[in-house]
Amino acid sequence: MIIRNRALAAVAVVGAVALTASACGGSKGTGSSSDAAGKSSFNAAVTSIVNPSTKKGGTLQFWANQDVDSLDPTRSYYAFAWDLQRLYARTLLTYPSQPGTAGLQLTPDLASAMPTISNGGKTYTFKLRSGLKFSDGAALTSKDVKYGIERDFAQDVLPGGPVYLQQILDEGQKYPGPYKDTDPNKMGLKSVQTPDPQTIVFNLAAPNSDFEYYLAMGASTPVEQAKDTGANYQKAPLATGPYMIQSYTPNQAIKFVRNPNWDQSTDPVRKALPDAINVTITTNADDLDSRLLAGTADLDIGQVGVQTAAQAKILTNPQLKANTDDAPNGFIRYIAMDTKVAPFNNVHCRKAVEYAANPTDLQTARGGPTAGAIATNMLPPNILGHDNYDPYGLAAGKAQVDKAKQELALCGQPNGFSTTIAARNNKPKEVKTAEALQASLKAVGINLTIDQYDGAQSSSVIGAPSVVHKKGYGLMVFGWGADYPTASGFLSMLVDGRQILADGNNNLSEINDPQINSLIDKAAAETDPKAAAADYTQINHMVMDQALYLPVVYDQALNYRNPRLTNVVFLQALGMIDFASLGTSDGK
């Protein structure tokens, strides 16, 4: 739970309503998606590869308004840092540089093929590609992959990154990590075996349909044990991808150059077009915007959005808008209804809120259509298992007063009722969301009192059921994003009744439905991600039918791309432009 909360905070650096800008110029925009395959227009990179090219050379000029959290893949959790890792750190599996849902399908990276799954879904066997090397020229073997994973267990030395592999592979061994491994046989993590240099075998205690997604995270990046410097490794990690870090000055700059020991024949994912990539870090957001608009910066890799003035210029200038993409970034903004706080222990009272809410007003509170599309259910579009399920007609964007009053009568509150809605005081858009709901519910006699609490204390306020009950929070405004694009990675923490915690709780509805819990277990036992996604489609429908959450918007990010960039594609798995696919048209 703590890990998911930290992920949400970290990815929110990227996942908040993002509006980015870049250079002037480009083809004329139409305000819609690409009108010719490969040509630049609004949202073109979401559905196609913009300016496809095989031209090598030039230097990408990346800018960001904050530094990475770590260049050590084991320790990194920022989404844009994960995107940068695609340049220099390869994993067993990864996401292809493809638009749309194709970019959500895992593909072999260091592995020569998808794994062979046996033993009832508990054993995964991978074969590595031949000819793999580190940037120092050393041959890369299965032992290096295993060692990289073992480092994830050394949380006292290497904290900060996701620990899914640690949680699923320890199996009671209490493995302390390689720095404290006292086993005289030096077998290391027993659940991972390396019978030969090209083979790595994972033995799970129980099937887990998300396991392959864990192997696309930085913790499966191989590390040469002899070159591991522990906490200092983040200063200059060895590369396995097409680029290596030539220099890194924290909070100032990162310089990537070609890795001479990377072999294109071993890497079907990366094109490695530019000769070099410069990352400049600034704290002056207005200056960053100016450089983007002037064309001296190619992309804001933090994807945190231009300031108000630059945003206005972009959205009112057809040429500028033609070089932007506004796509769902994997976050959903919602209002939770606590089933343990009366009268929301009655499903009809909850349904009354669903019908009485004005979806357009809620969307406006978030910033309007560019900030996100109206959400109709609790799985965002970039998650396998998402569909257009809309039992309350939210997509129509209007309050349905008559239906709301019918539900109030069914729940024994024909004249309405009063309750409290909680919103973080450091999230103005959440406060505005609460105000918008307050206004629309008043029309059916539901009176809301807005309680703004310290946003830094979310885990111990709305995340503590005892506090929620004491304060009478029937409704809570919040947001959520997943670490990996599966339905279980997104939804299970919000609806699994066995995950309700005394502190740091994310199941804000406090639903503990045996049927939902059983389907969650069924999905976890699936070895086919599509089968697991189908289970979660059913779970999502049940969640909406019980009116546990009022979805508000599927967050979107308006990213401006320099017209000189080639092979521009929005990668749904990360909710941003894929850095590893980019090149330049002018070779500069």
Side-chain angles (χ1 to χ4, degrees), residues 5 12 29 45 66 69 75 109 126 166 187 214-215 217 322 346 348 361 364 373 378 471-472 480 508 513 543 565 584:
N5 279 339
Q66 74 173 91
D69 50 345
R75 304 185 65 178
D109 191 355
F126 289 88
Q166 176 187 339
M187 294 296 292
Y214 303 163
L215 297 176
M217 295 182 180
N346 187 306
H348 295 290
D361 288 349
T364 300
M378 289 300 291
K471 290 181 174 290
W480 188 254
L508 300 183
D513 185 321
V543 168
L565 294 176
T584 67

Side-chain angles (χ1 to χ4, degrees), residues 361 434-444 448:
D361 288 349
E435 293 170 347
L437 187 66
Q438 181 185 51
S440 61
L441 296 193
K442 191 173 183 63
V444 298
L448 300 187

